């Protein structure tokens, strides 16, 4: 049979190991909570910024400052016939939304062309990857 002193020592080691594992587990749980809370705050901040940008867009569009096409879209949004998400996600098929998406697409293409590297292949606005930059 084993020496009782050996068993007592093993039991003490087991208790110490268990206490350390509990402490580590509690620390990991606390870190996970902090990460989750930080992510929730970031989502809220991002949502608030997006909502503010949409309110500004709606106000400027409604006033006519952004043109007649945008004013008509703002009226549709005010009346509940569409949302800005519908407009930009192509769920709104009104003539104004179609025209806006076409205009935005042309503007995006012009921007890509104007910012293309001189030796970039056709359709590659970014140009060839820079070999000094990792991860591309």
């Amino acid at each position: 049979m084993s020496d009782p002193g050996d068993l007592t020592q093993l039991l003490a080691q087991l208790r110490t190991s268990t206490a350390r594992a509990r402490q580590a587990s509690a620390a990991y749980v606390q870190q996970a909570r902090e990460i989750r809370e930080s992510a929730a705050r970031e989502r809220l901040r991002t949502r608030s910024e997006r909502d503010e940008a949409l309110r500004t867009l709606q106000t400027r569009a409604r006033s006519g400052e952004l043109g007649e096409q945008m004013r008509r879209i703002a009226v549709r949004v005010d009346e509940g016939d569409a949302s800005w998400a519908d407009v930009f996600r192509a769920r709104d098929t009104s003539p104004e939304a179609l025209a806006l998406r076409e205009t935005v697409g042309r503007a995006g293409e012009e921007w890509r062309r104007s910012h293309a590297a001189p030796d970039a292949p056709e359709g590659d606005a970014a140009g060839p990857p820079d070999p000094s930059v990792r991860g591309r």
Side-chain angles (χ1 to χ4, degrees):
M1 201 152 220
S2 297
D3 180 8
D6 290 343
L7 289 177
T8 301
Q9 190 177 19
L10 283 172
L11 186 56
Q13 288 174 349
L14 180 60
R15 285 183 178 140
T16 300
S17 295
T18 301
R20 286 183 184 145
R22 283 187 181 135
Q23 287 175 339
S25 177
Y28 292 138
V29 167
Q30 181 60 32
Q31 285 177 339
R33 275 191 197 113
E34 290 169 4
I35 290 168
R36 185 181 66 230
E37 290 167 2
S38 175
R41 284 190 303 273
E42 181 64 21
R43 278 192 308 275
L44 183 60
R45 185 184 65 76
T46 301
R47 187 175 303 131
S48 295
E49 289 173 359
R50 181 201 61 216
D51 292 348
E52 179 61 28
L54 284 174
R55 280 191 295 274
T56 299
L57 172 65
Q58 181 66 10
T59 299
R60 292 179 67 199
R62 184 185 303 120
S63 74
E65 178 184 345
L66 303 177
E68 181 58 24
Q69 172 180 293
M70 293 289 279
R71 190 196 64 73
R72 286 194 304 267
I73 292 172
V75 168
R76 291 175 46 73
V77 170
D78 281 340
E79 292 175 352
D81 294 333
S83 69
W84 287 105
D86 293 338
V87 171
F88 290 111
R89 290 182 181 147
R91 291 189 298 241
D92 181 0
T93 58
S94 69
E96 297 84 16
L98 293 170
L100 174 63
R101 287 191 299 272
E102 185 178 310
T103 300
V104 169
R106 276 194 315 269
E109 186 55 40
E110 288 173 19
W111 185 90
R112 281 188 290 279
R113 277 196 302 273
S114 70
H115 288 79
D119 57 349
E122 184 66 31
D124 184 5
D130 181 344
S132 66
V133 179
R134 292 209 180 283
R136 276 186 138 194

